[in-house]
Amino acid sequence: MSYTNAADASSIAVVYAGILRGFSRMRRLPSLMIPSILMPVFFVIAFSGSFASIVELDGYETDKAVNWMTAWAVMQGAAFSGMGAGGLAATDLENGFFDRLRVAPIRPMAIIGGLVGYCVCRALIPITAVLIVAFGLLHAEMPGGILGFVMVYLSGIGMAAIMGLFVLGIVFTFRTLKSLAIGQIFMFSAMFLSVGQAPIQAIDGWLHNVAAVNPVTNVIRMCRQGFLGEVTWSVTQPGLIALAGMMIGTSIWARIRYKKVDI
Amino acid sequence: MLRQPQSWAPGLFFPLLLAAVYSSQFSKAVDIAGFPFQNVSFLDFVLPACVIQGVLFGSTNSASDLAADIENSFMDRLLVSPVSRASILLARLASAFMYGVVQAGILITIFLIFGANIAGGLPSMISIVLIAALLAVSIGSFGIAIALRTGSQEVVQSTFPLIFVAIFVSSAFFPVQLMEGWYGSIAQKNPLTWIIDPTRRMAIVGFSWKDLGQSLGIISAIASLGIGISIRQLRRRLARAQ
């Protein structure tokens, strides 16, 4: 095995170990998972209940609010899970464990990969919980069939990875657990300034323009399409491009900020 | 407040974000058949709810500070000093009230700058500020009881999702008349709905003593319960300290 191949193999092992470590911590501190499962489940119940009549307006393409709001709750749950990577890294930075990780002979991207891998795997739990409540309790429909569910999970894990990378960049910059609040503000802003709760046709004024260019809009549309009808390439493609673009951008951001940890 | 802006800034940011987003996203919702107010903007509709939401988000601050005092033993030092025991509780409640007044005042000013209209004029504005501040006291008193009982900041802060749930399962962001099924039934029975609805009428229709009385009556009932529990917890802690 050449040196490069050996390093690659060890990087995969580091990523895998990082994911396992995250889940061990989650098993030890189950209270960490409660908000990231309960909040999205509450969101799907609250938004479907509160805004039950909103689907009477043009543009919603469904007669049940739950079909519209489930994708929104899934995205929220995924984004909350993404914050988990930042929480784990910030704890390590505060207690000094991260310094030991940095002096170990492993690639920085393997450390970042482990943290992001953990939050991506973790995102599957709230996504599934939201879907169980939406279909079991609130009688959501999925005319898009299996492909619709694939889109939900694909968008969800993509959003978790993006949010994880973004929050890692913030945590590497400020090196405190409190800096997660900054990440939350960005997360909520990006999610709310999109078509999360209302279609673009129903949005007026400045928010219409912001939501139209917000890449999160395309990801939510991709996630939601199966609830509203058939899954189509014309909706999936912009979503995949938005996910890829944000993934590249946030990866570069996290990697650059990682270099600054010591400064 | 001056030393720790991170404790009150989210209480301003989130209500303003929600108001800005909802007034654009749901601007056409006022045209839905059965919407209880005519010729009103959605911004006007959510104004009282956003003010109350912002104040409630910050209502646990006093309780959290009290829990911090217990955690770092400042409370023990306070108890051996010749201060009135009642003042320990009253100071926290007064702090919650003042915090509510300042935050509600700031939120209403920002809403007015961005085009919101309060039909009742100054009497309605003062009423909304008073209702928001007294609600902060009444909900804050439950937080103070929890702080006295547990002495843990973390436990006090973990009550935040309950406030979040209580606000959303009410008429805060959408009229209960347009909600369906069990969710609508719970929202109708939520005491926050009974406070928000008359407060909203004072903002949209005009000032009314009846609406002010209804809001303050319910808040007084909640506050009596919360303060009663706080006094009991304070006595319990004092008995343990002796």
Side-chain angles (χ1 to χ4, degrees), chain B residues 84-168:
Chain B
S84 154
R85 289 352 187 188
S87 68
I88 296 171
L89 199 59
L90 284 174
R92 294 295 170 190
L93 294 173
S95 152
F97 180 82
M98 283 314 297
Y99 177 88
V101 168
V102 171
Q103 197 168 26
I106 293 171
L107 283 168
I108 288 176
T109 307
I110 295 173
F111 271 94
L112 292 176
I113 290 169
F114 282 91
N117 178 43
I118 297 181
L122 192 62
S124 288
M125 279 184 228
I126 294 170
S127 302
I128 294 169
V129 171
L130 186 68
I131 287 165
L134 289 174
L135 192 58
V137 172
S138 59
I139 301 297
S141 64
F142 286 98
I144 288 169
I146 293 169
L148 287 166
R149 170 87 186 184
T150 63
S152 160
Q153 280 191 86
E154 204 177 345
V155 174
V156 171
Q157 280 165 2
S158 69
T159 59
F160 173 79
L162 296 177
I163 295 171
F164 193 84
V165 169
I167 292 169
F168 267 89

Side-chain angles (χ1 to χ4, degrees), chain A residues 99-248:
Chain A
D99 295 334
R100 277 176 265 168
L101 278 180
R102 278 173 61 79
V103 294
I106 46 179
R107 290 181 169 165
M109 281 315 278
I111 298 175
I112 294 173
L115 291 163
V116 174
Y118 154 62
C119 69
V120 163
C121 295
R122 177 180 145 153
L124 297 174
I125 301 170
I127 294 172
T128 306
V130 166
L131 290 177
I132 289 170
V133 171
F135 285 92
L137 187 69
L138 305 171
H139 311 297
E141 292 153 359
M142 182 65 88
I146 297 292
L147 265 181
F149 285 106
V150 172
M151 289 299 127
V152 170
Y153 277 99
L154 189 61
S155 320
I157 59 174
M159 186 52 71
I162 289 161
M163 209 47 78
L165 286 163
F166 177 71
V167 174
L168 278 177
I170 290 176
V171 167
F172 291 153
T173 305
F174 295 100
R175 285 162 272 177
T176 64
L177 208 51
K178 280 184 177 170
S179 61
L180 285 180
I182 300 169
Q184 273 177 351
I185 288 175
F186 277 99
M187 182 195 91
F188 275 111
S189 303
M191 303 292 278
F192 274 90
L193 304 181
S194 71
V195 294
Q197 294 178 92
I200 198 89
Q201 300 94 310
I203 303 174
D204 273 345
W206 64 274
L207 186 57
H208 181 96
N209 301 325
V210 174
V213 297
N214 184 350
V216 174
T217 288
N218 289 331
V219 182
I220 294 178
R221 279 181 180 149
M222 178 174 121
C223 179
R224 181 175 283 146
Q225 58 179 323
F227 291 97
L228 308 179
E230 292 296 313
V231 172
T232 63
W233 180 241
S234 62
V235 178
T236 307
Q237 189 195 32
L240 291 175
I241 292 171
L243 278 178
M246 287 192 284
M247 197 88 80
I248 293 166

